[in-house]
């Protein structure tokens, strides 16, 4: 399978704990995106990378959130001191990028985070 | 802030009927993408429309991008139970290589 891969698929943790999610994009895709989706809503943009550079961060990404893509391949999203409002599906997407019309985003199946 | 509103939010129809889902915004997008999402899975890309007035067909699905590139519609002919799912429109600038602004979604149920 050469699609976007996300791990873990599900994460249940207690409030105040730290969690880390991993995303492996489609091979050779330069751009990687993180989105958050709550129940009954469409995904909301969090941040994106062009290779290893983080180019934009949403206001939704508080100081407790940090994302990295150290070698321009896989990415991690860490949430520190989790809060109940962090419960959501965290989606990763990748695209060839940059420029032109070659870059529709392809999504992984997400990590569902539940905060107890 | 760019916003995309979809209507209807929920739609339940009998197998074999036709339906249209609308995606509207006051903002102009360089491209607009339609996705379908099943429970517990990520959105799956159906189509990308780029040119104002563009119409694309995917079997029984017809997608149209408004002339002003602010709105789009998805028409399904002879709906089948396999069409059931959450349909999301998403607008992008720079031809989809930057962040997507997603619509509110239309949850479609096709009754056999």
């Amino acid at each position: 399978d050469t699609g976007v891969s996300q791990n873990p698929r599900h994460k249940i943790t207690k409030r105040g704990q730290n969690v880390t999610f991993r995303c492996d994009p489609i091979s050779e895709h330069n751009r990687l995106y993180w989105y958050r989706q709550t129940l009954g809503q469409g995904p909301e943009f969090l941040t994106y990378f062009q290779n290893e550079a983080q180019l934009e961060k949403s206001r939704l990404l508080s100081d407790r959130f940090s994302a990295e893509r150290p070698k321009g391949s896989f990415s991690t999203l860490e949430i520190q001191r989790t809060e109940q409002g962090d419960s959501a599906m965290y989606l990763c997407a990748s695209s060839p990028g940059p420029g032109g019309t070659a870059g529709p985003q392809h999504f992984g199946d997400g990590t569902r985070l539940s905060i107890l | 802030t760019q916003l995309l509103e979809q209507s209807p939010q929920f739609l339940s129809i009998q197998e074999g009927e036709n339906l249209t889902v609308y995606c509207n915004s006051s903002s102009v997008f360089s491209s607009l993408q339609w996705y379908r999402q099943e429970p517990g899975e990520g959105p799956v890309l159906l189509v990308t429309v780029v040119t104002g007035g563009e119409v694309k067909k995917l079997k029984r699905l017809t997608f149209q991008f408004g002339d002003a590139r602010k709105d789009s519609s998805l028409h399904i002919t002879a709906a089948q139970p396999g069409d059931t799912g959450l349909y999301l429109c998403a607008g992008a600038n720079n031809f989809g290589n930057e962040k997507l602004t997603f619509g509110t979604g239309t949850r479609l149920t096709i009754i056999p």
Side-chain angles (χ1 to χ4, degrees):
Chain A
D1 184 20
T2 57
V4 177
S5 177
Q6 291 189 246
N7 289 288
R9 291 295 312 279
H10 305 275
K11 180 70 177 178
I12 301 173
T13 192
K14 293 182 179 179
R15 183 167 55 93
Q17 297 295 306
N18 299 341
V19 294
T20 300
F21 312 139
R22 176 178 170 126
C23 172
D24 288 88
I26 293 172
S27 178
E28 298 178 356
H29 275 193
N30 295 322
R31 292 213 170 179
L32 187 148
Y33 307 78
W34 286 99
Y35 293 83
R36 182 172 71 185
Q37 185 177 25
T38 53
L39 203 60
Q41 303 293 319
E44 295 175 292
F45 170 80
L46 292 178
T47 188
Y48 85 96
F49 293 83
Q50 170 71 33
N51 297 316
E52 66 274 11
Q54 189 172 16
L55 297 185
E56 186 173 348
K57 293 193 292 185
S58 162
R59 293 172 300 168
L60 294 174
L61 217 63
S62 75
D63 291 345
R64 297 184 297 106
F65 288 70
S66 62
E68 294 182 344
R69 195 183 183 196
K71 298 181 180 179
S73 55
F74 73 91
S75 175
T76 58
L77 177 67
E78 182 183 14
I79 308 174
Q80 295 182 327
R81 305 181 302 282
T82 52
E83 301 174 355
Q84 292 219 322
D86 297 332
S87 295
M89 173 81 89
Y90 290 83
L91 292 162
C92 176
S94 70
S95 72
T101 58
Q105 294 178 30
H106 297 270
F107 284 80
D109 284 336
T111 294
R112 180 164 294 284
L113 174 64
S114 298
I115 307 297
L116 301 178
Chain B
T1 303
Q2 296 178 312
L3 293 173
L4 278 168
E5 292 189 0
Q6 288 184 236
S7 61
Q9 188 176 358
F10 299 94
L11 183 59
S12 182
I13 63 171
Q14 294 287 333
E15 179 178 359
E17 294 184 353
N18 302 333
L19 67 107
T20 302
V21 175
Y22 299 94
C23 174
N24 295 297
S25 175
S26 58
S27 302
V28 175
F29 294 97
S30 294
S31 69
L32 196 136
Q33 300 169 24
W34 283 91
Y35 291 84
R36 193 177 95 183
Q37 187 176 23
E38 304 280 359
E41 298 180 4
V44 175
L45 180 68
L46 296 175
V47 77
T48 299
V49 285
V50 177
T51 306
E54 181 178 4
V55 177
K56 281 192 175 179
K57 291 191 175 183
L58 185 66
K59 297 183 180 179
R60 293 176 294 101
L61 278 59
T62 301
F63 304 85
Q64 183 164 8
F65 202 10
D67 291 341
R69 289 184 289 132
K70 292 182 180 180
D71 54 82
S72 181
S73 63
L74 158 61
H75 183 80
I76 301 179
T77 303
Q80 298 178 2
D83 295 328
T84 294
L86 177 66
Y87 288 81
L88 295 160
C89 64
N93 290 309
N94 196 28
F95 298 101
N97 277 336
E98 294 187 359
K99 62 183 178 183
L100 293 176
T101 299
F102 277 86
T104 46
T106 294
R107 185 161 299 282
L108 175 64
T109 302
I110 307 302
I111 303 167

